[in-house]
Amino acid sequence: MIKPPLRPGQQPPFATPYLLASLFLSGAACLVLELAGARLIAPLYGSSIYAWSSIITVTLAALALGYAWGGRQADRQPYLLLFARLLTAAGLTVAAIPWLRAPVLRACLPLGVQAGALASAAMLLGPTLMLLGALGPIAVRLTATGASDSGRKSGDAWAVSSSGSVLGAMLTGFILIPHLPISRILLGTALLLLLLGVLGLWLSLRTIPLGQLTACAACLGLMLLPTPKPRLTMSSHESAYGRIAVVDSPTRRYLIVNGISQSVMEKPGGESQSQYIHGFQWAISLRPNAKHALVIGLGAGLLPKALERRGLSVDAIELDPAIEQAARRDFGYEPRGRVVVGDGRTLLESGLGPWDVVFLDAFAAESPPSHLFTIEAFERMRGALSPDGVLAINIVSALTLPDDRPWKALHRTLSASFPHVRSFVASDPNESLANVLLFASAAPLEAGPPGTDPRVEKEIELMLSRELHPTAHDLEPAPVLTDDFAPLDALMAGTALRWRTLLHQTMSEVLLD
């Protein structure tokens, strides 16, 4: 016989512990979804300011709607049964996300980068977060006995939920994302919410909810299945810093990080044909006696390989161990020098060096790590160079106003640290986007093309013909970047928007694979 739903004041002693435990775990689920959600849309929208702004906007808006709607439902249906059904519904919506991901991202492509990121996040995460937001007001209504303890019960509910969010953030960032595919993280979250819903339904109805148990078994079974291999991708891995994918075409191999192609290797020769990689080698012509070089930002290891073929001993610093492993495994990188896994700024502060040339080619998808591009960072790099050493930097920047401030800010900042700075367009512009190489030194920067590989010499000659000559007036709108004020993400916003738009037009299926 089914007993009637429990009403306020009629709950058995175990109802309150169940409600608080559910709030704790649902709070954890909210942060799991928020952090995992950033990875859900990363293939098309990366880790740019647009992606994170979209995730945060959707999270706060959905929770706010859930709070308001849940409060009204709590007054109309103050039953434990309602709480359990919302948990079950939340679990089902989370379980659907892995299958909705690709169709939703494809459907939102025509909206562009900004609106597409916002719409994708809203469609994938919004329903679940609204349902989870509704749980708090219902729990307060069920645990409070009247006005005399409503404040305390409300405070307890939000404190428990927020404590769960702390756990969810730590668990997701430190354990789940670095070690599990996003689909399994989502299915595990769905299973947790469904089990909580099953328990609540049993407490309310005193009967076994077979349909919900079937959904739990389906989630568990899907978690145990092997992860299907994408059609085009050789390998992919969710690291602590992003989604790392290696993608093959008939003639090329790509290293893709959060939806941005970071390195391209020509498969027949195992070398990079990127114009800017060839342009970087001008630094060796500037200092023909150079013996030791440092590369900050390993990528696929193509730049160190090119420098080693020129006879240099090359050390490398790479933040993400998954990228270092991909360089060795998939791109034939066999280092002759040291490879240090860690943050470039931190390791430079430890007093490593000196080097004759330092190459800074570091990106987190389309966003350079701003702490490596400040006066203080450049001063440390200057200290790590030999007396006439050269610092060479790659940045992707628009070349037309008003989105050309990234390279101008770097030129201005470098000029505050080095007496000699030169900037060049090092790749053929595409929609006004190009690689800009900046060279800085305490000694003059004068040299012609190197007498080496004709392909390299041709690219360097082209780069030298496209030197940028900014005046003080040209540079004035761009800020000098410091540790206290380094708005590089904001300066890169226009460039990132163009970059992503180009990728959506040319590589959308590869990014979604």
Side-chain angles (χ1 to χ4, degrees):
M1 177 179 177
I2 298 177
K3 295 185 178 181
L6 296 167
R7 295 177 178 273
Q10 299 178 336
Q11 300 96 295
F14 45 75
T16 295
Y18 164 75
L19 289 165
L20 293 178
S22 296
L23 283 180
F24 180 83
L25 293 172
S26 63
C30 284
L31 262 291
V32 171
L33 289 171
E34 184 173 1
L35 294 175
R39 296 299 177 91
L40 282 173
I41 68 172
L44 288 184
Y45 304 107
S47 55
S48 69
I49 191 170
Y50 301 124
W52 274 108
S53 294
S54 297
I55 292 294
I56 294 170
T57 298
V58 167
T59 299
L60 295 177
L63 289 176
L65 287 172
Y67 298 151
W69 180 72
R72 286 158 177 75
Q73 293 303 310
D75 288 340
R76 294 171 186 161
Q77 305 177 62
Y79 309 138
L80 187 62
L81 180 61
L82 172 63
F83 187 91
R85 284 176 171 168
L86 291 179
L87 271 172
T88 303
L92 293 173
T93 56
V94 175
I97 291 174
W99 283 266
L100 294 175
R101 176 190 192 182
V104 166
L105 290 177
R106 286 192 181 94
C108 294
L109 264 176
L111 299 178
V113 174
Q114 294 162 306
L118 187 62
S120 298
M123 294 170 69
L124 292 171
L125 303 178
T128 305
L129 290 170
M130 193 180 86
L131 290 168
L132 293 177
L135 298 176
I138 298 171
V140 172
R141 182 75 167 84
L142 292 173
T143 55
T145 59
S148 61
D149 68 348
S150 59
R152 178 167 59 85
K153 296 297 185 181
S154 178
D156 289 346
W158 302 130
V160 166
S161 178
S162 297
S163 298
S165 295
V166 171
L167 174 66
M170 294 178 63
L171 189 65
T172 307
F174 296 139
I175 299 175
L176 296 181
I177 286 179
H179 296 98
L180 291 174
I182 292 299
S183 59
R184 290 188 179 173
I185 295 173
L186 293 171
L187 289 170
T189 303
L191 179 60
L192 173 65
L193 295 174
L194 285 168
L195 288 173
L196 289 171
V198 166
L199 179 58
L201 290 170
W202 179 79
L203 292 175
S204 302
L205 302 173
R206 299 298 194 275
T207 186
I208 298 175
L210 295 178
Q212 288 77 5
L213 284 175
T214 302
C216 292
C219 286
L220 182 60
L222 291 169
M223 288 174 63
L224 297 176
L225 288 175
T227 304
K229 186 176 180 179
R231 293 173 292 109
L232 304 174
T233 304
M234 285 180 55
S235 64
S236 63
H237 179 73
E238 294 286 348
S239 78
Y241 302 98
R243 181 175 183 266
I244 315 300
V246 178
V247 177
D248 256 1
S249 75
T251 60
R252 294 181 176 181
R253 181 166 294 172
Y254 298 84
L255 176 65
I256 296 177
V257 181
N258 281 339
I260 289 287
S261 176
Q262 300 285 31
S263 301
V264 184
M265 182 182 76
E266 299 293 333
K267 289 167 65 175
E271 299 179 11
S272 171
Q273 295 304 309
S274 296
Q275 291 175 290
Y276 90 90
I277 292 287
H278 293 162
F280 253 154
Q281 296 181 56
W282 186 60
I284 305 173
S285 302
L286 291 168
R287 302 294 180 260
N289 296 323
K291 296 291 189 295
H292 303 287
L294 172 68
V295 173
I296 304 174
L298 178 64
L302 302 179
L303 176 58
K305 285 167 65 175
L307 298 173
E308 286 171 348
R309 284 193 295 271
R310 298 286 304 276
L312 270 69
S313 170
V314 183
D315 299 325
I317 300 175
E318 172 55 50
L319 178 64
D320 193 340
I323 289 181
E324 191 260 349
Q325 292 164 13
R328 294 175 184 264
R329 181 185 63 242
D330 300 315
F331 293 87
Y333 175 53
E334 298 177 355
R336 299 175 191 171
R338 295 173 295 173
V339 178
V340 182
V341 176
D343 179 77
R345 178 74 178 271
T346 301
L347 292 167
L348 286 170
E349 294 289 349
S350 67
L352 295 175
W355 293 276
D356 301 310
V357 188
V358 172
F359 297 89
L360 176 55
D361 188 21
F363 287 86
E366 69 269 51
S367 303
S370 59
H371 69 294
L372 289 173
F373 293 83
T374 63
I375 284 181
E376 292 86 352
F378 293 153
E379 288 290 346
R380 185 64 200 93
M381 293 175 199
R382 181 174 178 177
L385 287 166
S386 56
D388 66 343
V390 176
L391 172 61
I393 299 175
N394 172 45
I395 186 78
V396 174
S397 176
L399 301 175
T400 55
L401 293 170
D403 297 328
D404 60 349
R405 290 187 298 165
W407 78 263
K408 289 181 177 178
L410 291 190
H411 190 105
R412 189 177 181 191
T413 304
L414 279 170
S415 298
S417 300
F418 292 87
H420 302 278
V421 178
R422 296 179 71 177
S423 301
F424 304 89
V425 177
S427 64
D428 297 328
N430 187 355
E431 298 291 332
S432 184
L433 292 183
N435 292 90
V436 175
L437 297 188
L438 300 98
F439 299 85
S441 179
L445 297 168
E446 300 294 340
T452 178
D453 185 330
R455 295 172 301 172
V456 175
E457 187 169 353
K458 179 181 178 181
E459 297 290 4
I460 292 178
E461 286 180 340
L462 184 58
M463 180 189 79
L464 294 177
S465 72
R466 297 189 289 199
E467 184 168 2
L468 299 164
H469 298 280
T471 65
H473 177 73
D474 294 332
L475 296 178
E476 188 176 355
V480 174
L481 304 176
T482 68
D483 285 350
D484 186 52
F485 182 68
L488 194 52
D489 277 348
L491 297 177
M492 290 287 296
T495 291
L497 182 60
R498 298 188 194 196
W499 197 351
R500 283 283 170 188
T501 302
L502 283 172
L503 288 169
H504 290 182
Q505 293 169 355
T506 58
M507 294 181 65
S508 60
E509 285 305 311
V510 171
L511 299 179
L512 283 168
D513 193 21

